Amino acid sequence: MYAQMVETGQKSVRALADMSSEERAFQQRIDADVKVEAADWMPDAYRRTLVRQIQQHAHSEIVGMLPEGNWITRAPTLARKAILMAKVQDEGGHGLYLYAAAETLGVSRDQLIADLHAGKVRYSSIFNYPTLTWADIGAIGWLVDGAAIMNQIPLCRCSYGPYARAMVRICKEESFHQRQGYDIMMKLCQGTAEQKAMAQDALNRWWWPSLMMFGPPDADSVHSAQSAAWKIKLLSNDELRQRFVDQTVPQADYLGITMPDPDLKWNAGRGHYDFGAIDWQEFHDVLRGNGPCNRERLATRVQAWEEGAWVREAALAHAEKRADRGDELG
Ligand SMILES: [Fe+2]
Ligand SMILES: [Fe+2]
């Protein structure tokens, strides 16, 4: 699949012979797996594509804090509360690494945040679904963080150094997130019939949106060919989605709950699970801003930004004072 994608990519992207000498040297370094660093020359389109991809990713991390942050005060035990707080805090940290990686490409964090708040850039559509019960926190960790890991592991090898290095640390933390989610599901599935039904209900609601997290089918994916040639997208959407299904179905079997998909079955010939058709209409509706929580999520972000203004001002005043005193860390 990947070989095939690169082949199509090489047909639709320019041949080395048609490139300027700078572009050719750039592509040859990428082909030789040399990382691109912030100060290196890079084509404008490479820079733009990365800014778009990294900022969408950064925004997804911080908007992703909202549906789960919503459950911190209602976590069923003190231990669960501490774990969930650590998890949500990690996501804030992921946003921080990624905004910093985007800034190395010459954009300011303030501008990126302003674009998010103005609705000009997207974040992962999964965070526009509501968290209705405690089991949703389990399903999110298990499925949403699980899908994020599947997407992000290949990015640790992507061509842009600052992004690749941020991903290494993020992926380590994501695997803790996935485990904590699965652990919540385990407890519920080993509990009362009512608790198990709650886990099943959460799976029913989060399964399809999780599959949509990998993006549109390869046939409709506009950016894949060039991004593959630049090694900023190393595996195709459909390939990652299939890997996720193959990994996750046995985990549901172990829990004793079932995916809400009557067409899901093991295909021995392919060596993969077949699964039913995804409702892409729903995906596009949510992307267009019509998901259950789009407006609420954005309004909460804007409010948090406005209410945090005094913290930013105080931090800046403190930094200036230290600089005036000549403190080394100033
Ligand atoms: Fe994260
Ligand atoms: Fe996470």
Side-chain angles (χ1 to χ4, degrees):
M1 171 66 82
Y2 174 54
Q4 205 180 356
M5 196 172 84
V6 170
E7 239 171 59
T8 356
Q10 282 166 351
K11 271 177 213 149
S12 61
V13 302
R14 283 182 306 149
L16 279 179
D18 300 333
M19 294 179 182
S20 70
S21 59
E22 271 172 325
E23 287 172 325
R24 195 176 315 128
F26 177 80
Q27 187 62 51
Q28 283 166 339
R29 283 213 318 280
I30 288 184
D31 293 343
D33 281 330
V34 178
K35 293 271 183 262
V36 179
E37 297 299 338
D40 294 345
W41 182 88
M42 62 187 87
D44 283 344
Y46 175 86
R47 187 185 298 272
R48 275 199 308 275
T49 306
L50 268 176
V51 168
R52 181 176 49 82
Q53 185 174 328
I54 298 175
Q55 77 162 311
Q56 279 183 2
H57 191 165
H59 298 328
S60 302
E61 298 286 354
I62 62 164
V63 176
M65 297 169 77
L66 302 175
E68 291 180 293
N70 182 36
W71 275 91
I72 289 175
T73 54
R74 292 175 288 165
T77 66
L78 183 60
R80 291 289 183 200
K81 189 193 287 272
I83 293 167
L84 184 59
M85 276 174 71
K87 197 262 189 196
V88 172
Q89 203 168 10
D90 281 354
E91 306 297 9
H94 297 174
L96 194 65
Y97 313 153
L98 289 164
Y99 285 122
E103 282 186 306
T104 65
L105 292 159
V107 288
S108 77
R109 195 182 312 181
D110 283 352
Q111 187 56 51
L112 299 178
I113 301 268
D115 287 350
L116 168 68
H117 292 173
K120 287 188 196 161
V121 275
R122 287 167 177 168
Y123 51 86
S124 181
S125 64
I126 192 99
F127 300 119
N128 291 313
Y129 291 86
T131 41
L132 303 178
T133 72
W134 173 250
D136 288 20
I137 301 305
I140 288 180
W142 174 34
L143 302 173
V144 178
D145 290 273
I149 297 173
M150 199 55 89
N151 255 324
Q152 292 170 6
I153 293 260
L155 290 174
C156 299
R157 295 183 285 117
C158 83
S159 62
Y160 189 55
Y163 190 29
R165 290 188 289 272
M167 293 318 306
V168 171
R169 185 156 166 188
I170 289 176
C171 284
K172 284 185 184 154
E173 294 177 349
E174 293 300 353
S175 61
F176 151 66
H177 299 172
Q178 201 266 353
R179 288 290 200 92
Q180 67 88 35
Y182 196 70
D183 188 61
I184 292 173
M185 296 301 272
M186 284 270 276
K187 268 282 178 310
L188 290 172
C189 290
Q190 291 163 353
T192 63
E194 205 183 351
Q195 285 172 315
K196 191 165 181 184
M198 233 167 90
Q200 179 66 60
D201 171 64
L203 173 59
N204 293 348
R205 284 178 293 107
W206 290 93
W207 176 244
W208 292 108
S210 300
L211 295 190
M212 295 175 196
M213 280 178 73
F214 297 94
D218 293 348
D220 304 338
S221 185
V222 272
H223 301 294
S224 289
Q226 181 61 70
S227 292
W230 279 334
K231 295 190 185 166
I232 49 186
K233 183 159 180 65
L234 292 109
L235 296 166
S236 82
N237 294 353
D238 287 336
E239 189 169 16
L240 289 164
R241 189 166 15 244
Q242 181 70 61
R243 281 187 182 192
F244 177 71
V245 172
D246 292 347
Q247 175 187 283
T248 312
V249 173
Q251 295 171 349
D253 291 345
Y254 188 77
L255 292 172
I257 50 181
T258 48
M259 305 307 185
D261 179 358
D263 298 323
L264 183 79
K265 61 172 183 305
W266 177 250
N267 181 327
R270 288 200 314 126
H272 293 291
Y273 283 94
D274 291 335
F275 53 96
I278 294 172
D279 181 358
W280 292 111
Q281 186 58 45
E282 175 182 327
F283 174 75
H284 290 296
D285 283 348
V286 177
L287 267 192
R288 269 194 292 271
N290 300 320
C293 301
N294 295 58
R295 283 167 199 82
E296 181 189 330
R297 297 286 183 250
L298 214 52
T300 309
R301 275 301 319 156
V302 171
Q303 190 190 352
W305 178 256
E306 285 167 358
E307 289 177 356
W310 70 272
V311 179
R312 293 191 295 279
E313 282 160 21
L316 208 61
H318 182 63
E320 278 165 7
K321 226 189 234 173
R322 293 186 74 156
D324 286 347
R325 278 206 313 256
D327 286 10
E328 260 183 40
L329 293 172

